[in-house]
Amino acid sequence: MLLVRCCLGLTRLGPVQAQRHRVAPALASCAVRLCSTREEQRWSRRASWKHALAGLLAGTGAVLVYGLHQHKAEQAEPIAVQTIGKPPAFPVYTQDEVTSHRTLEDGVWVTYKGGVYDITEFVAMHPGGDKILLAAGGALEPFWALYAVHNSEHVLEILSEYKVGELSAEDLKKQQQQSSQSSDPYASDPERHPALRVNSLKPFNAEPPPELLADSYITPSAIFFKRNHLPVPQVDAASYRLQVDGLPGGTLTLSLDELKSRFPKHTVTATLQCAGNRRSEMNRVKPVKGLNWNATAISNATWSGARLRDVLLAAGYSPDAARWARHIQFEGLDRDASGTTYGASIPLSKAVAEDGDVLLAYEMNGEPLPADHGFPLRAVVPGTVGARNVKWLGRVVVSGQESSSHWQQNDYKGFSPATDWDTVDFRSAPAIQELPVQSAVTWPPEGAAVGDDGQVTARGYAWSGGGREVVRVDVSLDGGRTWQLARLRGGEEEVGEGREAAPPPGRAWAWKLWEVTAPLPADAGDELEIVCKAVDSSYNTQPDTVAPIWNLRGVLSNAWHRVRVKVQRDEEEEEDQDRDGQEQ
Ligand code: MTE
């Protein structure tokens, strides 16, 4: 046990922790108060907190991910820091004094729960982190309300290192009154179905229970997976306008009514899948950053709206534009604390292709889009990763460049298992567009008892990106030693009269549900491992294990899906088995 005495009282460190890197900050925090010169203070802080605050105030997940990762890497194991004795008497500052510290020259101060923090050095060390300055001279709480993840013990611990004073009681009271008036940015989020398995409440991210997913070919909107990065914006349909920019003719502005009346309504059945679907399996190999999605961050719906191609043509697009334009950028109306909107882009060729089927959709499953799924308008880019299907669409831009958004540039990219957070260069990898072939078992659930009638029934989904049709699903009941062909079900039952059941080649946007019923394997023990793998029309298939495709963001997780279940035999069969065993 190492006892460090400083003006704060006694800081007690565990024996292992005392050896680790993390001792430096603890010592540094004492040094900050003991050292007499500013230079010494600077040194002691700089030595320990190099990148740690990078995510504190930034409005994007990227900075958050980098910052927290870096801190975690430095912090090999959590530390128990206990302060004993009288709390320090920090100087008291008024709000006006805090507000006068908003620049690097004057110092950058923020407040949090009555504490005053001088984060000048942190800002100076992160020159690109201009979002941090949004909170300068004011309170952190409104920014952190947007990203509940900041409100964690270790982030608070980091912040405490920068404490320089207390806010005056009077100003603190004013601040608290203001914050109770300013509403929670998520307060107007819609109600959600209780069956959803919630991965994060604010922002809301949830997936349907696997048992329900393959019950219907079309996923009911209420349980369709929901992936929001920000609060759901409230958009008034009557005053809503879509802007189409970037073409020589100038901006085309369209109301919702115009989108519905000026362009033919086109309906597409398409599966959306989040790039992070099945991330939890990568997490089991080695921790990754991101929401811990299981195997149901995927769903299938019918979408109706105007074709993006038709709208672009109305805005003045002609094949001539293909000489300079390469991408179609989408901007959402959901914004972070700094006003930055969600954004993404897709290749121009996909957007304008007659058989690309890209929609500006205003209906999902025959109803106006639900709030969580982009009301009143979203991009539906069939065959393409969920992230590019921008919801609450405000602007479409024809451009020579990809979207500059964080989610296009610094997220939703794949890397080698050899790449870690110290070596990753997001510029080196292309943004994910089409997703690889995927399948999963949705029934029976992990740990269920099967086989009491001598048979096993397994069900699931299979899908591939880029319009490649799933042509086969192989299922194994013995961990992959032997295989059976699954029965595939497309949308035949849902397809109305006069419409083609099978999609044209290259336009298989929707998943297939699969099912296998087979006798319990003769040599089955007490457990079975059910495995599935799909093959698409390009004969792509899934890798057998996760480790070789592991990547630091846990995206593109499409190894053979495995579910372990218990074998439950009926009594007669069990007796026969016992007898056989004795005779042998
Ligand atoms: N569009 C906006 N404006 N904001 C978002 O947070 N999330 C994206 C995409 N479009 C998102 C967005 C991601 S990552 C996914 S996977 C899909 O929406 C999820 O769509 P869903 O919630 O309708 O299932």
Side-chain angles (χ1 to χ4, degrees):
M1 180 77 64
L2 175 71
L3 288 176
V4 183
R5 185 174 288 279
C6 70
C7 57
L8 265 178
L10 279 178
T11 303
R12 195 173 61 203
L13 306 175
V16 179
Q17 292 143 353
Q19 300 302 321
R20 302 231 175 172
H21 191 87
R22 189 63 180 71
V23 170
L27 291 172
S29 81
C30 296
V32 166
R33 287 165 191 96
L34 293 174
C35 293
S36 50
T37 68
R38 189 149 168 78
E39 201 40 49
E40 280 169 314
Q41 290 184 10
R42 270 177 205 281
W43 176 84
S44 58
R45 278 188 183 153
R46 197 175 291 140
S48 48
W49 295 112
K50 202 165 138 234
H51 295 287
L53 264 187
L56 275 181
L57 310 170
T60 72
V63 185
L64 178 80
V65 164
Y66 281 128
L68 294 186
H69 159 76
Q70 199 69 35
H71 177 62
K72 271 232 165 89
E74 288 170 6
Q75 182 187 9
E77 75 178 54
I79 187 169
V81 177
Q82 216 179 30
T83 304
I84 305 165
K86 236 177 130 197
F90 280 107
V92 173
Y93 294 105
T94 63
Q95 182 62 59
D96 283 348
E97 283 172 301
V98 175
T99 309
S100 68
H101 292 87
R102 314 179 66 149
T103 60
L104 280 174
E105 294 72 49
D106 301 328
V108 179
W109 288 14
V110 290
T111 64
Y112 181 71
K113 290 199 173 159
V116 176
Y117 300 86
D118 176 354
I119 58 165
T120 318
E121 303 223 331
F122 170 73
V123 177
M125 280 190 289
H126 297 83
D130 51 352
K131 285 186 181 164
I132 289 169
L133 288 171
L134 289 169
L140 278 179
E141 282 89 338
F143 292 83
W144 284 8
L146 271 180
Y147 297 99
V149 67
H150 283 123
N151 215 348
S152 78
E153 212 172 295
H154 93 264
V155 172
L156 295 177
E157 209 181 301
I158 300 166
L159 183 67
S160 70
E161 292 301 311
Y162 289 84
K163 186 160 181 177
V164 290
E166 303 279 1
L167 191 62
S168 76
E170 202 183 322
D171 284 329
L172 177 61
K173 207 166 146 197
K174 273 194 215 150
Q175 229 186 43
Q176 283 165 343
Q177 277 165 354
Q178 271 169 11
S179 81
S180 65
Q181 283 157 11
S182 76
S183 60
D184 171 0
Y186 294 93
S188 56
D189 266 21
E191 275 192 28
R192 276 91 183 203
H193 196 282
L196 287 166
R197 303 216 167 145
V198 178
N199 283 326
S200 120
L201 260 181
K202 298 177 180 186
F204 191 74
N205 288 284
E207 59 190 306
E211 309 78 296
L212 293 187
L213 191 63
D215 271 2
S216 65
Y217 179 75
I218 299 293
T219 315
S221 306
I223 61 159
F224 196 101
F225 85 98
K226 300 180 198 319
R227 179 40 177 140
N228 299 338
H229 287 272
L230 297 162
V232 173
Q234 284 192 295
V235 187
D236 168 43
S239 55
Y240 168 82
R241 295 289 180 275
L242 175 75
Q243 278 193 1
V244 184
D245 280 332
L247 288 164
T251 301
L252 172 68
T253 305
L254 293 165
S255 69
L256 195 58
D257 282 345
E258 285 169 322
L259 275 157
K260 290 180 182 174
S261 59
R262 278 184 57 182
F263 304 95
K265 181 173 171 181
H266 188 63
T267 297
V268 171
T269 303
T271 298
L272 288 195
Q273 181 182 206
C274 183
N277 189 29
R278 301 182 55 198
R279 179 178 282 136
S280 56
E281 292 160 63
M282 287 205 172
N283 247 327
R284 274 178 239 142
V285 171
K286 200 163 81 168
V288 295
K289 300 261 168 240
L291 294 167
N292 203 30
W293 295 108
N294 286 308
T296 53
I298 182 167
S299 302
N300 189 44
T302 59
W303 309 93
S304 305
R307 284 177 191 264
L308 174 59
R309 173 189 154 80
D310 294 344
V311 172
L312 290 174
L313 288 170
Y317 173 82
S318 75
D320 272 1
R323 274 187 292 180
W324 57 270
R326 293 280 175 277
H327 306 273
I328 297 293
Q329 304 176 355
F330 298 123
E331 272 177 33
L333 295 167
D334 46 341
R335 29 187 95 239
D336 68 13
S338 72
T340 306
T341 52
Y342 182 88
S345 58
I346 59 168
L348 174 78
S349 52
K350 169 74 178 170
V352 298
E354 275 188 68
D355 56 4
D357 289 323
V358 181
L359 295 186
L360 301 180
Y362 41 76
E363 279 179 18
M364 175 181 189
N365 294 338
E367 305 278 342
L369 283 178
D372 263 326
H373 297 289
F375 180 85
L377 194 77
R378 81 174 297 170
V380 170
V381 190
T384 297
V385 63
R388 315 295 168 223
N389 291 249
V390 175
K391 304 190 274 189
W392 313 291
L393 193 62
R395 197 161 164 246
V396 172
V397 185
V398 183
S399 174
Q401 273 78 44
E402 278 192 314
S403 163
S404 60
S405 126
H406 156 71
W407 293 277
Q408 188 80 17
Q409 301 297 333
N410 294 321
D411 203 354
Y412 299 118
K413 293 188 172 187
F415 293 96
S416 157
T419 303
D420 62 22
W421 287 99
D422 295 322
T423 56
V424 66
D425 173 5
F426 272 92
R427 286 163 309 179
S428 69
I432 300 170
Q433 295 286 347
E434 295 178 357
L435 282 171
V437 60
Q438 175 69 287
S439 70
V441 180
T442 56
W443 181 265
E446 180 85 23
V450 301
D452 57 343
D453 58 353
Q455 297 217 307
V456 181
T457 295
R459 284 190 207 104
Y461 65 77
W463 180 77
S464 190
R468 289 177 287 274
E469 185 174 1
V470 166
V471 295
R472 203 179 83 216
V473 174
D474 304 322
V475 177
S476 169
L477 300 181
D478 55 12
R481 279 189 297 126
T482 60
W483 296 91
Q484 350 232 344
L485 270 183
R487 236 171 318 119
L488 299 183
R489 186 181 141 205
E492 302 82 4
E493 289 148 43
E494 281 76 13
V495 174
E497 233 171 276
R499 287 175 55 201
E500 275 184 59
R507 285 164 84 182
W509 310 127
W511 66 14
K512 294 211 174 147
L513 299 181
W514 59 260
E515 185 170 319
V516 157
T517 299
L520 196 64
D523 55 353
D526 292 341
E527 267 196 355
L528 285 186
E529 190 177 52
I530 306 176
V531 187
C532 71
K533 63 181 171 82
V535 178
D536 73 16
S537 54
S538 298
Y539 284 98
N540 296 306
T541 189
Q542 302 173 240
D544 55 349
T545 52
V546 182
I549 55 165
W550 182 96
N551 58 86
L552 75 181
R553 278 295 273 122
V555 291
L556 308 165
S557 181
N558 74 330
W560 297 359
H561 191 232
R562 297 161 191 270
V563 168
R564 292 192 79 85
V565 292
K566 295 192 186 76
V567 173
Q568 192 180 52
R569 295 185 176 81
D570 66 18
E571 280 169 18
E572 236 173 78
E573 203 193 323
E574 221 157 87
E575 280 165 19
D576 286 352
Q577 276 222 340
D578 286 351
R579 216 172 307 125
D580 288 353
Q582 280 160 14
E583 280 166 14
Q584 272 167 22

